[in-house]
Amino acid sequence: MNTLQKFLAANALFSTAIGVELLLFQEEVEQLFGLPHSNFFFILGILLLVFALILVVEIIKQRALPVLWIIVQDVLWVVASIVLLIWDPYNITLEGNIAIAAVAAVVTVVAIGQSKGLARMDEGSQRGLKIFRFSRKVKGSKSKIWEVISDVGNYHKVAPNIDGAKIVSGEKEGLVRQCTHKGDSWTETCTLWQDERQYSFKVNTNAPDYPYPLKTLSGTWKIDENLNHEKEIIMVFEFEYKKPIHNVVLHPLMKYQFTKVCEELLDKWQEMIEKK
């Protein structure tokens, strides 16, 4: 298990233990907190068990956005606990306040651990370097596929996150194109070009109008063919965020948007390649 899975598992076990305790020993918990009988702890116990089930799902799937939402909920739990401890609107007993503080401390540790695990999501061997890979099997000749995906001057016609693209200078390796999006503009330089195989671009993320919080970004587009002569378009993006905190608060949103854009791009390319 990686770091994220370990802390998600710890969160699931702790939430399950607290949830079961609230359901089985509701009266004793109410006495500990000095509160009158109600359905509050029963409902809270059910919610914690549901939360634990969600955690188990994410231990397996490790989806960035749901994990971020789990961390947000843990932070909200801690904040609510601090509010209760400071203002004490329900005149909770000393033992009850100690229990609130103890649970909040555990949740804080778990939230920090989950955040560290989320920050390492989609990393390769180099710390901080994120890697996204997208692929699509298509039916068509290699020359036809290459003709479609290598039309770098018209990339904006298939990529929904680009409003305009034009070749500024050069061709193949060394080619420079300018891209625009909602008034922002930047240049991208071709660093690799192998006809009917692959090409790569490095984005000038230091451009004054570059709209994304990335320190570096490069992409490779290539055609792969297996032993059964099935052809596949593969896109690999490598990038770094400008600030470490972006690995936690922005990466889940970036992954969602990146996936949405690339799936739409591959849909359009597949339609163009397989069009009769």
Side-chain angles (χ1 to χ4, degrees):
M1 297 176 74
N2 58 35
T3 299
L4 178 59
Q5 289 175 312
K6 289 178 181 178
F7 279 98
L8 287 173
N11 198 352
L13 290 173
F14 187 67
S15 298
T16 300
I18 298 297
V20 170
E21 182 178 2
L22 293 178
L23 293 177
L24 296 181
F25 306 102
Q26 182 179 345
E27 291 185 6
E28 289 82 354
V29 173
E30 289 171 344
Q31 293 175 4
L32 176 68
F33 280 77
L35 297 175
H37 177 70
S38 69
N39 291 324
F40 173 76
F41 287 115
F42 178 81
I43 295 173
L44 182 59
I46 295 295
L47 291 176
L48 284 172
L49 292 180
V50 172
F51 183 64
L53 181 60
I54 293 172
L55 287 163
V56 171
V57 172
E58 293 313 319
I59 291 171
I60 300 171
K61 295 189 175 182
Q62 299 184 75
R63 297 171 297 180
L65 268 178
V67 169
L68 178 61
W69 177 231
I70 287 170
I71 295 172
V72 169
Q73 291 178 82
D74 287 335
V75 171
L76 290 175
W77 179 285
V78 174
V79 171
S81 299
I82 293 173
V83 170
L84 282 174
L85 291 171
I86 293 176
W87 277 277
D88 193 18
Y90 303 107
N91 295 317
I92 296 173
T93 63
L94 175 61
E95 293 80 4
N97 281 322
I98 292 174
I100 291 173
V103 171
V106 174
V107 175
T108 299
V109 172
V110 168
I112 293 172
Q114 290 170 159
S115 298
K116 290 181 178 179
L118 179 58
R120 300 298 304 276
M121 185 175 286
D122 298 309
E123 280 187 353
S125 57
Q126 180 180 333
R127 191 179 184 89
L129 183 65
K130 303 292 187 181
I131 301 174
F132 284 162
R133 185 184 186 277
F134 304 94
S135 63
R136 177 72 59 85
K137 289 183 179 180
V138 295
K139 297 178 181 179
S141 65
K142 200 169 187 179
S143 59
K144 176 62 176 179
I145 298 171
W146 180 256
E147 177 187 351
V148 170
I149 73 169
S150 66
D151 188 9
V152 296
N154 291 307
Y155 193 66
H156 61 291
K157 294 183 178 180
V158 290
N161 62 323
I162 302 293
D163 296 332
K166 66 176 181 178
I167 296 175
V168 177
S169 63
E171 61 178 18
K172 298 187 177 183
E173 188 171 342
L175 178 150
V176 178
R177 71 179 175 190
Q178 184 179 42
C179 297
T180 59
H181 177 65
K182 294 183 179 179
D184 299 320
S185 65
W186 63 92
T187 57
E188 301 179 354
T189 302
C190 181
T191 57
L192 172 69
W193 190 282
Q194 298 174 333
D195 285 320
E196 296 196 0
R197 289 185 60 191
Q198 62 181 336
Y199 64 87
S200 300
F201 272 92
K202 183 177 181 180
V203 178
N204 178 19
T205 57
N206 294 318
D209 293 335
Y210 187 69
Y212 305 108
L214 301 178
K215 181 166 64 175
T216 62
L217 171 61
S218 61
T220 297
W221 294 256
K222 61 182 179 180
I223 304 172
D224 189 33
E225 185 174 5
N226 61 27
L227 296 176
N228 295 323
H229 303 291
E230 294 177 319
K231 309 204 176 45
E232 186 175 27
I233 300 171
I234 298 174
M235 301 187 296
V236 180
F237 299 93
E238 299 184 354
F239 60 94
E240 296 176 274
Y241 291 105
K242 288 184 176 179
K243 298 179 180 180
I245 190 64
H246 292 158
N247 289 287
V248 177
V249 298
L250 286 183
H251 184 66
L253 301 175
M254 180 72 79
K255 185 170 186 177
Y256 171 79
Q257 190 62 32
F258 233 109
T259 302
K260 184 179 177 182
V261 166
C262 289
E263 287 298 325
E264 185 173 339
L265 168 61
L266 289 170
D267 286 343
K268 290 181 179 179
W269 271 349
Q270 183 173 18
E271 183 181 356
M272 294 168 66
I273 293 166
E274 298 179 355
K275 183 178 181 180
K276 294 183 180 179

